[in-house]
Amino acid sequence: MATLSSSTHYGSVAYSRSSLSSSSLSDGHHQRIGFSSSSSSFQQRFRPAKVSLQSVRNSNQNVLLMQDGAVATTATPVGNETPFKKLKDGLLSGTSLEECKDAAGFHINETESTVSITVVGASGDLAKKKIFPALFALYYEGCLPEHFTICGYARSKMTDAELRNMVSRTLTCRIDKRENCDEKMEQFLKRCFYHSGQYDSEENFADLDKKLKQHEGGRVSNRLFYLSIPPNIFIDAVKCASVSASSGNGWTRVIVEKPFGRDSESSAALTRSLKQYLAEEQIFRIDHYLGKELVENLSVLRFSNLIFEPLWSRQYIRNVQFIFSEDFGTEGRGGYFDNYGIIRDIMQNHLLQILALFAMETPVSLDAEDIRNEKVKVLRSMRPLQLEDVVVGQYKSHTKGGVTYPAYTDDKTVPKGSLTPTFAAAALFIDNARWDGVPFLMKAGKALHTKGAEIRVQFRHVPGNLYNRNFGTDLDRATNELVIRVQPDEAIYLKINNKVPGLGMRLDRSNLNLHYAARYSKEIPDAYERLLLDAVEGERRLFIRSDELDAAWSLFTPLLKELEEKKIIPEYYPYGSRGPVGAHYLAARYKVRWGDISLEQ
């Protein structure tokens, strides 16, 4: 049995972490990729040999003697946090690297381990526009290990130099616009290599393994595979990576991009297939919205501010709105979109994940499993969506300012007569003690009048409000509202009632405003930076667990099937408008007004 030990660098710092190698696990005829886990129950489940009760302790680490003579090491924690977490928190808060090392109590060992990040599908748009720039930003900030390799893998024929040229065109110095980072770019690009191969070829992945070993130089090998490829070839790539290119002495992890199926059945089938070759702890299902700064700030806002937590319930909150809008259509990319539609593309994952974070109970700790447990409870408490609680729409052609904007079906990649929704609004309900009866409204659409994403919390009216007559008949003008603007121009503001200065009694609604650009000079990291860093660290808090995915699909699958079976015709709305009128009627049914269309947003 292979040794249960690994070490990983962060910055130029080595830390130890328990890990199970690929040669020790099998499932049928296929090897499982090696994984790392701090969960003793998980290790017990998959451990092929029983751990000896005898243990030997040396000065630096805990050592377990395995029945077959192998040695397992586990890191000794510093206080209640791992050194890695302390280092990461320090880096992201602006602390210097040296200060982070000192605070975390690290023992520097710069030759012990290495991380190899393979971007599978390296020639695609996502890799070029998001993944490589995010990796460079992490390198620029000193967040990648001292020893790391980035390898692009795709079917296209390309040399290392051609890959570097392609990547260099997407890199920017946005981290610090005043500093010339050409030298950093050059150093980063020297770590980038390319390997051409088929996604279903074990032989090509075996060649990749040889190339990675050359760059790893005999160090403990930790490998991260980012699957930036269509979902229909996920399993082929995972199988080949498992059999031919997994780490022999460190951890191996795989990041899987959405969509995770089209419904409950296809999602479950995808999960079963992935688990033929991977343990759940190795699968990092990425939803980039969970990496956005304001989404990350949700739990901080709620759980570390006394003024909000007592109000976070049906007693004080009238409704909650999750709004996503894009001011452009599919524009040549309708082939992919038409197979999924706005509900699968945005609502079932991005908005539902934010809703679960917003509505969850206080977790036992900030540990990934504790947080994900609470999210699952929320999803399982929700009513499955009914057709009468949903409005779907599709944008049509519209001429504005002398410019004619195309309809969705004018896109040549979209089938003629397609009924795929480009807009959807829905009312969801959580049947538990905290949220019983509170409508959670979702709205998402393409080709709307603006681009943005926000959460709006509308509080109840003040009982017996002495100043109602000052607001006239529009009581909503007297209602407090908390707005969390996720993008663009990130901000958090609270609408309060206020007296206008003067001798008369005239009331006004004002904003208590935290505008991020004004308050913080530091650039907000891209969501992919945070999530890639978490994947390297093994932090799963912002990644989706399989039971969480099952619960999410169970809410939407009956609705999606009914829409498709009954061939529901979407309500058409002009390109660049505020969306279908039906969305306003849906909100009005629950005595709610959409917050993003009021005169004062």
Side-chain angles (χ1 to χ4, degrees):
M1 178 173 173
T3 302
L4 252 139
S5 67
S6 69
S7 299
T8 305
H9 283 275
Y10 184 78
S12 38
V13 182
Y15 71 102
S16 296
R17 178 175 295 205
S18 65
S19 116
L20 199 55
S21 81
S22 60
S23 60
S24 64
L25 293 179
S26 65
D27 186 352
H29 301 292
H30 306 291
Q31 284 188 322
R32 286 186 186 272
I33 296 178
F35 61 88
S36 68
S37 173
S38 60
S39 167
S40 59
S41 62
F42 181 82
Q43 292 177 357
Q44 184 66 36
R45 178 182 171 191
F46 289 103
R47 186 179 292 137
K50 192 172 182 180
V51 179
S52 168
L53 295 177
Q54 180 185 11
S55 64
V56 180
R57 184 185 301 272
N58 67 13
S59 60
N60 294 320
Q61 29 183 230
N62 299 325
V63 181
L64 295 177
L65 294 183
M66 309 302 287
Q67 202 170 41
D68 61 358
V71 179
T73 65
T74 57
T76 303
V78 180
N80 294 323
E81 293 182 292
T82 63
F84 193 95
K85 185 177 187 304
K86 287 187 176 182
L87 175 60
K88 177 189 169 190
D89 291 345
L91 282 172
L92 296 183
S93 65
T95 309
S96 73
L97 184 60
E98 289 304 319
E99 290 171 332
C100 291
K101 293 175 184 177
D102 294 340
F106 276 94
H107 300 288
I108 308 301
N109 186 335
E110 298 186 352
T111 60
E112 191 176 351
S113 68
T114 182
V115 172
S116 298
I117 302 170
T118 301
V119 182
V120 182
S123 58
D125 276 352
L126 178 65
K128 289 187 283 190
K129 294 177 180 177
K130 290 293 185 181
I131 302 172
F132 285 115
L135 289 170
F136 171 66
L138 291 175
Y139 173 70
Y140 185 98
E141 292 279 22
C143 294
L144 289 180
E146 174 71 14
H147 300 288
F148 75 91
T149 300
I150 295 172
C151 186
Y153 184 99
R155 290 175 295 204
S156 307
K157 297 295 182 182
M158 198 184 307
T159 64
D160 292 346
E162 288 170 333
L163 172 78
R164 291 165 184 167
N165 183 52
M166 179 191 79
V167 170
S168 67
R169 293 198 294 268
T170 67
L171 303 185
T172 67
C173 297
R174 66 143 189 86
I175 304 102
D176 188 341
K177 297 180 177 63
R178 297 165 299 176
E179 184 173 333
N180 185 338
C181 62
D182 288 346
E183 185 178 345
K184 281 279 190 182
M185 281 188 185
E186 187 177 341
Q187 293 169 355
F188 173 77
L189 291 171
K190 286 179 180 177
R191 308 284 192 100
C192 297
F193 303 90
Y194 185 77
H195 187 80
S196 176
Q198 299 298 313
Y199 301 126
D200 60 353
S201 169
E202 292 182 17
E203 183 180 351
N204 291 161
F205 273 85
D207 292 337
L208 169 67
D209 178 62
K210 293 175 184 176
K211 180 174 284 189
L212 292 178
K213 284 178 177 175
Q214 290 174 3
H215 294 293
E216 289 162 350
R219 301 181 181 89
V220 173
S221 164
N222 298 305
R223 294 183 179 178
L224 177 65
F225 292 85
Y226 196 122
L227 301 188
S228 178
I229 52 179
N232 62 308
I233 51 178
F234 279 171
I235 306 306
D236 289 336
V238 166
K239 176 185 176 182
C240 294
S242 171
V243 173
S244 304
S246 61
S247 171
N249 56 4
W251 53 253
T252 305
R253 298 170 187 146
V254 177
I255 296 178
V256 183
E257 268 282 352
K258 76 174 184 71
F260 313 116
R262 297 187 76 254
D263 51 27
S264 293
E265 292 78 13
S266 58
S267 175
L270 177 60
T271 296
R272 284 194 302 271
S273 297
L274 287 172
K275 288 186 178 181
Q276 291 179 25
Y277 312 105
L278 300 168
E280 174 64 28
E281 279 70 7
Q282 293 175 271
I283 305 170
F284 286 69
R285 299 174 187 85
I286 192 170
D287 184 335
H288 72 273
Y289 254 70
L290 294 182
K292 289 189 176 293
E293 186 68 36
L294 271 292
V295 176
E296 267 272 75
N297 200 25
L298 258 180
S299 59
V300 177
L301 185 73
R302 177 179 168 189
F303 298 125
S304 70
N305 292 288
L306 183 61
I307 61 170
F308 290 121
E309 178 57 20
L311 306 179
W312 224 258
S313 73
R314 62 189 299 274
Q315 186 175 358
Y316 295 103
I317 292 178
R318 186 163 55 121
N319 70 86
V320 186
Q321 302 175 16
F322 302 88
I323 300 171
F324 174 96
S325 61
E326 291 180 335
D327 57 0
F328 54 89
T330 55
E331 296 164 4
R333 301 185 303 276
Y336 160 81
F337 182 85
D338 197 74
N339 193 39
Y340 291 95
I342 198 72
I343 296 176
R344 292 183 179 93
D345 195 42
I346 302 297
M347 296 178 75
Q348 183 274 337
N349 41 71
H350 297 335
L351 298 188
L352 191 61
Q353 284 292 316
I354 297 174
L355 185 155
L357 280 172
F358 177 95
M360 70 181 184
E361 297 297 320
T362 308
V364 175
S365 74
L366 292 177
D367 179 76
E369 295 313 302
D370 290 332
I371 291 174
R372 296 198 291 186
N373 288 342
E374 295 304 328
K375 288 170 64 184
V376 170
K377 289 179 186 177
V378 170
L379 297 175
R380 288 179 175 169
S381 299
M382 296 179 71
R383 299 179 205 166
L385 273 164
Q386 304 297 319
L387 192 58
E388 58 266 24
D389 284 328
V390 176
V391 172
V392 293
Q394 187 185 100
Y395 66 86
K396 63 182 181 181
S397 179
H398 179 59
T399 300
K400 183 178 180 181
V403 178
T404 299
Y405 297 92
Y408 172 68
T409 50
D410 290 338
D411 187 330
K412 293 180 180 178
T413 63
V414 172
K416 293 300 179 185
S418 171
L419 299 179
T420 299
T422 61
F423 175 98
L428 299 95
F429 293 88
I430 303 171
D431 292 330
N432 64 17
R434 182 182 289 270
W435 298 113
D436 186 30
V438 176
F440 286 78
L441 300 179
M442 282 186 186
K443 184 170 68 170
K446 288 182 172 291
L448 296 174
H449 70 295
T450 188
K451 179 181 179 180
E454 60 186 17
I455 306 164
R456 287 180 172 264
V457 185
Q458 295 185 349
F459 293 92
R460 294 192 179 277
H461 299 112
V462 176
N465 194 336
L466 295 172
Y467 296 96
N468 275 349
R469 63 188 182 89
N470 296 86
F471 287 99
T473 57
D474 189 358
L475 293 182
D476 281 344
R477 287 184 58 82
T479 303
N480 299 127
E481 186 177 27
L482 174 66
V483 181
I484 302 170
R485 191 163 61 220
V486 177
Q487 69 174 28
D489 199 23
E490 294 85 349
I492 300 172
Y493 56 94
L494 178 65
K495 294 183 177 181
I496 63 165
N497 297 319
N498 182 56
K499 178 184 175 297
V500 177
L503 298 177
M505 178 56 71
R506 189 161 63 91
L507 301 189
D508 181 33
R509 249 201 337 179
S510 305
N511 292 343
L512 296 179
N513 193 357
L514 167 57
H515 184 222
Y516 270 58
R519 175 66 178 85
Y520 302 107
S521 59
K522 188 173 182 179
E523 183 97 20
I524 294 176
D526 183 77
Y528 281 92
E529 295 170 33
R530 186 186 315 279
L531 293 168
L532 279 163
L533 180 58
D534 280 353
V536 170
E537 178 184 353
E539 169 59 65
R540 297 173 177 84
R541 181 170 50 92
L542 298 178
F543 294 88
I544 302 168
R545 204 167 61 188
S546 61
D547 58 340
E548 195 178 341
L549 186 61
D550 293 342
W553 272 120
S554 68
L555 295 172
F556 282 89
T557 295
L559 168 73
L560 290 165
K561 287 187 174 180
E562 191 171 2
L563 285 170
E564 290 166 4
E565 288 170 0
K566 293 183 177 179
K567 298 188 184 310
I568 301 296
I569 297 175
E571 180 183 343
Y572 296 100
Y573 61 95
Y575 192 117
S577 69
R578 295 179 182 272
V581 175
H584 306 295
Y585 287 114
L586 175 67
R589 188 189 311 165
Y590 301 102
K591 299 179 180 178
V592 173
R593 184 183 299 174
W594 290 105
D596 65 325
I597 60 171
S598 62
L599 293 177
E600 42 172 312
Q601 295 182 23

